[in-house]
Amino acid sequence: MVVEHAMLIIKEELVEEFIQTINEAFPILSNSEGYLSHKLLRNKENPTLFILVVNWNSLEDHIDGFVGSAKFKKRDSMLRYFFDELSKNLALYRTKI
């Protein structure tokens, strides 16, 4: 399983519109091959900071199946406008220690 963590810093004046738009974009994500689940977390002390956690079946499903797809381009075009330039996206996966 791969856990994607996207740190989304939203422009302050666009937070409410972002919440509405990302909820409209979630079906694009959840209908993708290898998608398992997601949750959106909001920072109470800094309400412009969100963490999107997405669980994928495999790294290939995340990178090749979603990030390289037309679905990703559509979702990205819906959301990119809201992001501050400091937003980050990390794909993490389990490893033996």
Side-chain angles (χ1 to χ4, degrees):
M1 181 174 73
V2 171
V3 182
E4 173 189 7
H5 289 85
M7 182 179 74
L8 309 175
I9 302 171
I10 307 305
K11 297 170 189 168
E12 188 172 353
E13 67 276 9
L14 299 175
V15 168
E16 295 307 315
E17 186 180 352
F18 165 75
I19 292 169
Q20 178 181 341
T21 304
I22 198 166
N23 280 304
E24 293 168 2
F26 281 144
I28 297 169
L29 178 66
S30 62
N31 287 316
S32 297
E33 185 72 30
Y35 163 88
L36 299 174
S37 65
H38 74 271
K39 60 184 167 185
L40 182 66
L41 308 170
R42 187 175 186 184
N43 186 293
K44 188 168 181 79
E45 291 81 26
N46 181 356
T48 65
L49 174 62
F50 294 79
I51 302 292
L52 175 61
V53 180
V54 183
N55 294 305
W56 295 96
N57 187 50
S58 69
L59 187 59
E60 292 75 22
D61 286 332
H62 172 245
I63 300 294
D64 300 331
F66 184 63
V67 175
S69 74
K71 288 181 180 183
F72 176 82
K73 289 181 180 86
K74 179 175 180 164
R75 189 205 65 155
D76 190 57
S77 71
M78 292 173 72
L79 299 175
R80 177 65 45 200
Y81 165 75
F82 299 101
F83 299 158
D84 182 277
E85 65 276 356
L86 298 175
S87 294
K88 303 264 187 245
N89 191 41
L90 300 171
L92 308 171
Y93 55 94
R94 291 184 183 178
T95 185
K96 293 181 182 180
I97 297 177

